Amino acid sequence: MILKQFYLPCLAHASYLIGDEETGTAAVVDPQRDVDRYLEFAAEHKLQIKHVFLTHLHADFIAGHLELRDRVGATIYLGGKAQAEYLFTPLSDGSVVEFGRVRLAALETPGHTPESISIVVYDLEQSASEPHAVLTGDTLFIGDVGRPDLRAALGWSATDLGALLFDSLQSKLLPLPDASLVYPAHGAGSLCGRAISKETVSTIGEQRRLNYALQPMSKKSFIELVTADQPEAPPYFLYDAVLNSKERATLDKALERELQPLELERVLDLQRGGAQVLDTREAEEFATAHLAGSINIGLSGQYATWAGTVLNHDNPIVIVANPGRESESAVRLGRIGFDNVTGYLREGMQSLERRPELTATTERLSAPLAAEILSSKDAPQLIDVRTPREREQKFIAGSLSVPLNHLAERAGEMAADRPVLVYCAGGYRSSIAASLLQRAGFANVTEIAGGMAAWETAKLPVSGAQS
């Protein structure tokens, strides 16, 4: 048996291929939408992908089940309570898919979502009674459990799902042998949990001992614990959860339509018509020069998550990228179902070299210079765009807390005719924020280069719990 984990850091997403070398058959669990990595691995090991499982209808990315169905004819499997437009095989407790020396047994484990399942993996070469591993989807993470509050807009209360989650953990997963490997669908940084470990594999026994949510407690206490202090979910989560149940265009077809070079005048026409111009270069490059009115979300950070947070999935998107990175920019949008890319600016910023009047800049101040300006008589408005949880730990005195995910709706709290200075933890989010404020009409926007990290390195004063 082959059990291969694929990890996608930008979405903190783990997917799996289970293969049987004797029969040359494989299954993929919770695939990302761009599926070439599974097909390449299968080809290297002389395997055919015949099965594709979703442990649930994911909210934070679009799964590649339709891509594998259309590319290689894989059968799709979902939990028995799932509803979808495409043909799938429903799995309930005791449902088994077996090929060669591999047995995949389903457990219904609702809680994160009502249709969630976990997949128990048996290596029949070793044992037909003792499982080798369990793929827990978003029911059980390493160090955490799935949040039960993401289906509220679809009619499920966090309390009801929390009760189901407690039962799933206690009656379905914890009875598995302590040696069973635990492979979840997400790792640290995912917003599908609250405090997920950076580790990507564990055991049932280890989680029984160390996971805060698996310690002995009443169902009532568990529900209170897992429904409190959850991070705010990005607005695209509901969109993705619904889209994963739909029959839709595959990524290949979307990219064929999207990856069209556009002349500068066409980009300007689209921008005037309401298109979102997305500049995917790094913050330093964007600050030096960018097309006025464009939004900066750099490819080096949590690009897809922030794109899904600050962009609209209905309005057209035009990409401005360094030449050669246009496809990556579009693929990573496609991973969250943003198939509304109209094209990309031919030759990127080089096309603006003779049109300097169309460009804008953003000043990035060193932390000591920012401190000096903030102590002056005409100090700018200082905006902290980090999360409330980050701010609880430390912040720069005199700053206004406006988390980046709420910046657009709260821009009215700031005076557009006064200078604005923004900061985050390291400079990635502040560049997004500065671009949004410039687009909203703020004429004088600067950033603290390096954010709070640079401020502390310069030994400048901070306020908060650790001050």
Side-chain angles (χ1 to χ4, degrees):
M1 184 182 78
I2 296 171
L3 175 51
K4 168 69 175 176
Q5 182 185 69
F6 297 85
Y7 197 76
L8 187 62
C10 65
L11 289 173
H13 164 219
S15 53
Y16 301 89
L17 183 146
I18 306 102
D20 174 64
E21 292 185 294
E22 182 181 353
T23 61
T25 301
V28 176
V29 179
D30 293 331
Q32 64 190 67
R33 194 178 178 197
D34 43 323
V35 297
D36 285 347
R37 63 192 314 188
Y38 313 111
L39 299 175
E40 290 166 2
F41 183 88
E44 289 170 7
H45 292 81
K46 298 180 173 55
L47 300 170
Q48 286 186 307
I49 298 172
K50 295 184 178 180
H51 313 279
V52 56
F53 297 78
L54 298 192
T55 56
H56 61 291
L57 297 172
H58 295 273
D60 61 321
F61 70 96
I62 299 303
H65 49 301
L66 301 187
E67 281 74 11
L68 287 173
R69 178 199 67 183
D70 289 2
R71 292 275 289 274
V72 295
T75 299
I76 298 171
Y77 301 84
L78 302 177
K81 292 184 173 60
Q83 295 182 338
E85 292 180 350
Y86 45 81
L87 184 67
F88 69 91
T89 298
L91 298 176
S92 55
D93 282 334
S95 297
V96 170
V97 177
E98 194 167 308
F99 44 94
R101 307 303 293 164
V102 173
R103 176 183 297 153
L104 304 178
L107 291 177
E108 290 186 280
T109 51
H112 178 65
T113 71
E115 80 286 348
S116 289
I117 58 172
S118 297
I119 299 170
V120 185
V121 181
Y122 292 86
D123 180 354
L124 300 179
E125 195 73 42
Q126 302 300 319
S127 174
S129 58
E130 295 289 308
H132 172 71
V134 57
L135 309 184
T136 54
D138 284 8
T139 300
L140 173 62
F141 298 124
I142 310 305
D144 204 355
V145 294
R147 57 190 295 179
D149 62 324
L150 294 181
R151 291 295 186 274
L154 299 177
W156 287 87
S157 76
T159 298
D160 290 344
L161 285 177
L164 291 173
L165 182 63
F166 179 85
D167 293 339
S168 294
L169 294 165
Q170 296 295 325
S171 65
K172 301 290 181 69
L173 292 177
L174 283 179
L176 295 172
D178 279 356
S180 305
L181 296 172
V182 173
Y183 285 109
H186 287 99
S190 169
L191 291 173
C192 292
R194 182 173 54 198
I196 308 175
S197 167
K198 68 180 188 305
E199 305 299 327
T200 59
V201 61
S202 183
T203 64
I204 289 290
E206 188 174 63
Q207 290 308 295
R208 191 193 311 278
R209 293 192 305 274
L210 302 178
N211 192 314
Y212 76 93
L214 301 185
Q215 303 314 301
M217 68 184 82
S218 67
K219 182 184 288 190
K220 181 176 183 293
S221 297
F222 175 86
I223 293 170
E224 291 173 352
L225 183 65
V226 300
T227 56
D229 300 323
Q230 289 289 357
E232 190 171 355
Y236 76 93
F237 271 30
L238 177 61
Y239 171 73
D240 279 16
V242 172
L243 190 56
N244 272 315
S245 70
K246 301 290 187 182
E247 183 69 48
R248 52 156 177 81
T250 59
L251 182 60
D252 288 346
K253 290 181 179 177
L255 293 175
E256 185 178 344
R257 170 177 47 80
E258 294 172 358
L259 289 175
Q260 304 296 324
L262 304 173
E263 300 300 332
L264 176 58
E265 291 304 322
R266 176 59 178 151
V267 171
L268 296 174
D269 284 343
L270 288 165
Q271 187 180 37
R272 284 189 288 266
Q276 306 161 101
V277 178
L278 172 62
D279 191 320
T280 68
R281 297 174 302 145
E282 298 314 304
E284 297 82 0
E285 296 175 282
F286 181 83
T288 300
H290 54 267
L291 178 63
S294 57
I295 300 168
N296 178 229
I297 308 175
L299 289 171
S300 66
Q302 290 185 302
Y303 167 77
T305 298
W306 282 113
T309 299
V310 304
L311 299 179
N312 186 299
H313 55 71
D314 293 323
N315 291 353
I317 295 172
V318 176
I319 289 169
V320 178
N322 283 325
R325 303 200 74 178
E326 300 89 354
S327 179
E328 178 188 357
S329 301
V331 166
R332 290 172 65 181
L333 289 176
R335 286 176 182 162
I336 60 166
F338 276 49
D339 291 350
N340 48 321
V341 174
T342 299
Y344 61 88
L345 177 61
R346 187 191 295 273
E347 298 181 344
M349 286 301 295
Q350 294 175 26
S351 65
L352 285 158
E353 287 178 354
R354 296 183 180 180
R355 300 289 303 276
E357 76 279 7
L358 297 174
T359 64
T361 61
T362 307
E363 190 173 5
R364 311 191 89 212
L365 305 178
S366 68
L369 179 55
E372 183 180 333
I373 292 173
L374 287 167
S375 64
S376 67
K377 180 181 178 182
D378 297 318
Q381 305 167 94
L382 181 60
I383 308 300
D384 179 353
V385 298
R386 299 172 305 149
T387 66
R389 189 171 297 178
E390 290 173 287
R391 188 173 172 86
E392 286 172 4
Q393 298 301 310
K394 54 197 170 188
F395 60 92
I396 300 173
S399 60
L400 173 66
S401 176
V402 186
L404 178 54
N405 58 323
H406 291 292
L407 184 63
E409 69 200 60
R410 292 182 58 189
E413 297 177 22
M414 295 161 267
D417 58 349
R418 278 188 59 202
V420 176
L421 175 61
V422 295
Y423 75 94
C424 64
Y428 181 82
R429 285 172 290 175
S430 66
S431 184
I432 302 173
S435 68
L436 290 172
L437 290 172
Q438 285 183 327
R439 187 171 183 256
F442 286 74
N444 190 338
V445 182
T446 56
E447 305 172 57
I448 299 179
M452 181 62 82
W455 186 271
E456 290 188 288
T457 298
K459 300 190 185 312
L460 293 165
V462 298
S463 299
Q466 296 181 355
S467 60

